[in-house]
Amino acid sequence: MKKIAFGLSTLAISVAAATAHAGEVEVLHWWTSGGEAASINVLKGLMEEEGHTWKDFAVAGGGGESAMTVLKSRAIAGNPPASAQIKGPTIQEWGDLGFLTNLDAVAKQGDWDVVLPQVVSDVMKYDGHYVAAPVNVHRVNWMWANPEVFKKAGVGIPTTWEQFLEVAPKIKAAGFTPLAHGGQAWQDATLFEAIALAKGPQFYSAAFVGLDEQTLRSADMVDVFSTFKKMRDYVDAGFSGRDWNVATSMVINGDAAMQIMGDWAKGEFTAAGKKAGVDYVCYPAPGTSESFTFNIDSLAMFQVDGADAQKAQQDLARLILEPEFQETFNLNKGSIPARLNMPRDKFDSCAHSSMDAFLASSTTGGLVPSMAHGMAVNSMVQGAIYDVVTNYFNDDAMTAEQAVDKLARAVKASM
């Protein structure tokens, strides 16, 4: 296969500028829930205002596994979309295969190296060149809570996992589900990494970024698995296979007290007309107030033929980083802008808290990539961790010590 044609982009822009024809851009993504759909429609509208045609290719599935399967089949067939929702180390994998196109001309025009934090811009580059555009920064280690449920149960909102295990039985006794959860591998991993993060960002990074075998086999990791298994007592019987946004609706509707989920959950509260600090509250996941697990959504650009299609693709990349889209998308999505120095006045208290935590953790070492959401490790290692974590959660007979051994072995085998 061809490597990235870095001269192609500049040529495409100059040719397209001369012809000024509108093009079509096909976008593969998995933004399909209420808040997410509203967010991506903003970008579609901006592209149509530029005169381009937006071909939506939405593949449902909160973790993106189904979308990635479709993308691989399209790419193998020699017909990838113009743009696809890809993130983290997966961007590097597609770059290695030679599928991605160069966005340096757009990035230079938009001062991306200036307006993006380095932790964000680094992820968007392959071999030192921009190949993807970030739409946002998600904080993954959030806990969403319904204060009315806590009031009815007569307990406070926990700030540590020890407190969680104290209040959860009382919430359950009051007739509510303590923890809204969907039994899907990526959701299990989201909960698991939040519990691991409570051991501190150094432990988390050693385990899920450095893949250090000693850390993976440590007593702390046994404790993480043990706490994780205890969560099974506090989810409802119907959790298996439930989509994340359905679990969020349990908190919105007052059926459940809490959910551990990234800030895309806030988009569901917003879509339901709920107000932060009134109808729901957001706290860092127990024990993680000094840390920030990040998940950056981005659209990577694939090589396409034809000046019109290339112009549409470059315009898409440009629009993603412009303040109008960054603000509107993130207000709908629940995340915070990838672009620095955006006005904050339209964002709610949860977003302000996330923005503050992002900046603070970036200077203290508490800013770490989410393993569960494809930012820390490649897809092979992530899949191996997923398998161990979700199998343990659903196997009453497996001990925490056995899970730790399986984890260390699985990670080593997939490296």
Side-chain angles (χ1 to χ4, degrees), residues 16-82:
T19 57
H21 290 158
E24 179 182 88
V25 61
E26 183 181 21
V27 182
L28 186 151
H29 63 90
W30 60 90
W31 290 308
T32 55
S33 74
E36 292 174 327
S39 302
I40 199 64
N41 280 336
V42 172
L43 189 55
K44 177 182 177 181
L46 291 172
M47 282 293 286
E48 289 173 346
E49 286 178 16
E50 296 268 335
H52 298 302
T53 302
W54 173 286
K55 186 176 180 181
D56 201 58
F57 190 179
V59 181
E65 295 94 341
S66 299
M68 288 302 96
T69 300
V70 172
L71 178 59
K72 287 172 186 174
S73 66
R74 285 279 302 269
I76 290 170
N79 182 35

Side-chain angles (χ1 to χ4, degrees), residues 184-238:
Q184 298 172 335
W186 72 270
Q187 292 190 63
D188 292 340
T190 299
L191 176 59
F192 175 79
E193 78 171 12
I195 296 170
L197 187 62
K199 294 291 184 182
Q202 290 76 23
F203 169 84
Y204 177 96
S205 293
F208 302 125
V209 181
L211 303 176
D212 176 64
E213 185 171 10
Q214 185 176 348
T215 305
L216 292 171
R217 291 186 176 277
S218 66
D220 276 341
M221 189 61 78
V222 173
D223 188 49
V224 169
F225 272 98
S226 179
T227 301
F228 177 58
K229 179 64 77 66
K230 291 174 184 176
M231 298 298 115
R232 272 297 303 272
D233 293 334
Y234 303 113
V235 302
D236 67 306

Side-chain angles (χ1 to χ4, degrees), residues 113-391:
D113 280 337
V114 176
V115 303
L116 293 176
Q118 187 172 346
V119 70
V120 177
S121 62
D122 286 349
V123 175
M124 298 302 114
K125 293 177 180 179
Y126 171 75
D127 198 25
H129 301 273
Y130 281 101
V131 293
V135 298
N136 60 3
V137 175
H138 280 297
R139 188 181 195 182
V140 179
N141 59 308
W142 274 120
M143 179 175 71
W144 307 92
N146 186 316
E148 191 63 26
V149 172
F150 279 89
K151 184 178 178 182
K152 290 177 180 176
V155 296
I157 297 174
T159 58
T160 67
W161 288 110
E162 290 77 14
Q163 288 178 7
F164 178 98
L165 293 170
E166 290 173 7
V167 304
K170 297 174 183 176
I171 295 170
K172 191 173 180 179
F176 302 98
T177 298
L179 183 64
H181 183 64
Q184 298 172 335
W186 72 270
Q187 292 190 63
D188 292 340
T190 299
L191 176 59
F192 175 79
E193 78 171 12
I195 296 170
L197 187 62
K199 294 291 184 182
Q202 290 76 23
F203 169 84
Y204 177 96
S205 293
F208 302 125
V209 181
L211 303 176
D212 176 64
E213 185 171 10
Q214 185 176 348
T215 305
L216 292 171
R217 291 186 176 277
S218 66
D220 276 341
M221 189 61 78
V222 173
D223 188 49
V224 169
F225 272 98
S226 179
T227 301
F228 177 58
K229 179 64 77 66
K230 291 174 184 176
M231 298 298 115
R232 272 297 303 272
D233 293 334
Y234 303 113
V235 302
D236 67 306
F239 82 99
S240 183
R242 176 185 290 138
D243 287 336
W244 71 269
N245 53 311
V246 178
T248 306
S249 71
M250 293 170 64
V251 180
I252 293 172
N253 297 331
D255 298 320
M258 296 166 277
Q259 181 186 24
I260 304 297
M261 188 54 61
D263 53 19
W264 50 91
K266 186 165 66 112
E268 298 303 295
F269 286 96
T270 301
K274 304 299 183 181
K275 293 191 182 301
V278 179
D279 304 304
Y280 68 97
V281 292
C282 53
Y283 287 89
T288 71
S289 61
E290 301 300 315
S291 301
F292 188 116
T293 36
F294 65 84
N295 174 23
I296 304 169
D297 283 325
S298 55
L299 288 174
M301 304 299 166
F302 284 68
Q303 292 182 27
V304 294
D305 294 325
D308 292 345
Q310 291 163 1
K311 175 63 164 64
Q313 187 181 59
Q314 300 279 326
D315 282 345
L316 175 63
R318 172 178 57 81
L319 288 167
I320 287 169
L321 261 296
E322 289 188 350
E324 179 183 0
F325 173 71
Q326 286 280 312
E327 179 177 90
T328 310
F329 181 92
N330 287 288
L331 286 171
N332 281 321
K333 188 75 159 61
S335 44
I336 61 175
R339 185 185 177 108
L340 292 170
N341 302 319
M342 290 281 295
R344 288 191 176 197
D345 52 302
K346 293 183 181 178
F347 289 89
D348 62 24
S349 57
C350 294
H352 286 194
S353 176
S354 189
M355 291 174 187
D356 291 342
F358 181 68
L359 292 173
S361 62
S362 67
T363 63
T364 62
L367 183 66
V368 292
S370 170
M371 172 277 294
H373 294 271
M375 300 304 300
V377 293
N378 65 40
S379 56
M380 289 288 290
V381 176
Q382 183 193 48
I385 297 173
Y386 272 19
D387 287 345
V388 173
V389 167
T390 202
N391 288 340

